[in-house]
Amino acid sequence: MLRIGIIGSNFITETFMDAARQVDMVKVAALYSRSEERVKEYAAAQDIPHTFTDLEAMAQSDLIDAIYIASPNSLHAQHAITFMNHGKHALCEKPIASNAAEVQAMIEAAKANNVLLMEAMKSTLVPNFDAVRENLHKIGKVRTFFASFCQYSSRYDKYKAGEVLNAFLPELSNGSLMDIGTYCIYPLVVLFGKPDSVKASAVMLESGVDGKGSLILNYGDMEAVLLHSKISNSNMPTEIQGEEGNMIIERISQPSSVLIQYRDGREEENVSRDQVSNSMVYEIQSFAELIERGELESPINSFANSLIVMEIMDEARRQIGLVFPADQK
């Protein structure tokens, strides 16, 4: 039984805890919060046996084997390295860090301590992404990858009213590219690797982060066009266009269906697979199975893939002029 501790107490951690209860191999054993009153109340409500208000004490504790990190983006690297240096495996929410330099430091810490570090990018670990990978050859030579993830933030109304919450603070390494755009970039990298070039544009907000933006990534004989936004909605599916057909993927953030439309007029093929409603189940299952087998790197959410994704976002931020305090360290 893998005993997992959690940093963070928000809607993502609640979804994580619900998913963890569906995985027999794991148990949520401890919770961290800076507020003792909050952490005890939250842990009691979620039936979590141990609580901490001191991160170092939690990292040193023998009550957990691994840590799930859902703190602000700017703290991901610091928190992961602290726990890995105490021999704990780390499942770190996306984006895994603020920049590529932090990702490299995290990888080095994982290797030095012989522990598993994995980015919690759930979309690449669900059954429907397996369906994409295993059926992609059917559409022939791929020429275009188009992905759109535009989701109006529940915090944007308060932002417009003058209250700037965490989601729009550069100090926390936030913004549309980091929080939303990464969902478009990661599956692209898993499928096609590192692009030859990146072109980025964005609508910048007064708080200093991007509210929305786009990327064009060139692969020589293929082009990827990605749209992301926290200030508008979109229901457009992701489409991979090949010379023999198109693959239509609903919800790139957690693929819910996969259809193939053939150019020669053959009947549309539904290659979708059954999957549970809480898609975080699959990342937790994968994380636990890797540890049980003694494997210290995910073959899908790999060190290389996480690093390439962050290098793309670093270049995009350079082009749109988005600088985080974490970049100055």
Side-chain angles (χ1 to χ4, degrees):
M1 180 70 69
L2 182 70
R3 302 168 301 165
I4 300 180
I6 293 178
I7 301 175
S9 51
N10 50 45
F11 76 94
I12 295 175
T13 54
E14 288 181 10
T15 305
F16 180 89
M17 286 183 282
D18 173 73
R21 294 187 189 101
Q22 300 177 52
V23 180
D24 293 337
M25 301 171 68
V26 307
K27 175 181 175 58
V28 176
L31 180 68
Y32 165 84
S33 175
R34 289 174 297 177
S35 165
E36 184 167 2
E37 180 181 356
R38 176 170 171 77
V39 75
K40 289 189 178 300
E41 178 183 341
Y42 200 81
Q46 296 287 343
D47 195 27
I48 299 173
H50 306 290
T51 61
F52 291 88
T53 55
D54 184 317
L55 270 178
E56 187 68 25
M58 190 181 190
Q60 293 177 18
S61 170
D62 60 3
L63 297 171
I64 61 171
D65 310 301
I67 191 71
Y68 167 65
I69 299 168
S71 50
N73 299 342
S74 59
L75 298 174
H76 286 180
Q78 174 192 329
H79 288 166
I81 290 170
T82 295
F83 278 81
M84 289 190 292
N85 283 344
H86 287 288
K88 304 298 190 289
H89 305 286
L91 178 61
C92 189
E93 261 307 332
K94 58 82 210 161
I96 194 169
S98 296
N99 51 50
E102 288 188 350
V103 177
Q104 191 61 56
M106 295 164 78
I107 293 169
E108 290 171 5
K111 291 179 176 179
N113 293 287
N114 292 311
V115 293
L116 171 63
L117 167 69
M118 189 176 93
E119 186 163 3
M121 178 57 72
K122 61 186 180 181
S123 58
T124 49
L125 300 170
V126 300
N128 276 319
F129 191 73
D130 290 339
V132 171
R133 296 168 66 211
E134 292 168 20
N135 289 279
L136 192 60
H137 67 279
K138 294 180 179 179
I139 66 171
K141 180 66 179 175
V142 174
R143 293 303 189 184
T144 303
F145 179 101
F146 170 80
S148 172
F149 187 24
C150 302
Q151 182 172 280
Y152 189 94
S153 172
S154 60
R155 301 169 181 85
Y156 187 51
D157 286 337
K158 288 189 175 181
Y159 176 89
K160 290 189 291 184
E163 182 182 355
V164 182
L165 300 177
N166 289 357
F168 296 103
L169 287 174
E171 298 94 317
L172 298 180
S173 304
N174 281 328
S176 181
L177 176 69
M178 297 290 281
D179 295 340
I180 297 290
T182 187
Y183 279 111
C184 297
I185 301 169
Y186 211 106
L188 171 71
V189 168
V190 173
L191 293 172
F192 301 105
K194 187 174 183 177
D196 297 333
S197 65
V198 176
K199 293 181 181 178
S201 64
V203 172
M204 304 299 292
L205 302 179
E206 290 182 1
S207 67
V209 302
D210 56 325
K212 69 178 295 293
S214 64
L215 295 92
I216 299 176
L217 301 98
N218 187 274
Y219 284 83
D221 57 3
M222 186 195 92
E223 191 172 64
V225 179
L226 313 179
L227 307 179
H228 60 89
S229 177
K230 297 185 77 170
I231 59 176
S232 60
N233 279 332
S234 173
N235 293 315
M236 287 191 294
T238 286
E239 182 177 55
I240 306 177
Q241 300 172 10
E243 293 186 352
E244 304 303 324
N246 301 349
M247 181 175 278
I248 310 297
I249 306 162
E250 288 292 340
R251 299 188 69 190
I252 192 63
S253 62
Q254 45 183 340
S256 58
S257 69
V258 185
L259 303 176
I260 299 176
Q261 298 171 341
Y262 292 101
R263 182 178 56 79
D264 62 9
R266 271 178 289 164
E267 185 178 348
E268 181 178 82
E269 183 180 5
N270 187 340
V271 297
S272 307
R273 298 182 181 175
D274 292 336
Q275 59 188 44
V276 298
S277 58
N278 187 337
S279 55
M280 292 184 87
V281 164
Y282 300 104
E283 70 183 49
I284 298 171
Q285 184 81 35
S286 176
F287 183 69
E289 288 176 352
L290 286 166
I291 292 170
E292 185 176 62
R293 294 195 300 265
E295 298 179 28
L296 302 180
E297 182 178 358
S298 167
I300 300 173
N301 292 7
S302 64
F303 295 158
N305 286 338
S306 289
L307 190 57
I308 290 169
V309 169
M310 192 57 65
E311 288 172 345
I312 290 170
M313 293 200 289
D314 281 358
E315 174 58 21
R317 287 197 298 113
R318 185 191 69 78
Q319 291 182 23
I320 65 176
L322 175 52
V323 179
F324 298 140
D327 300 328
Q328 312 301 324
K329 295 178 183 178

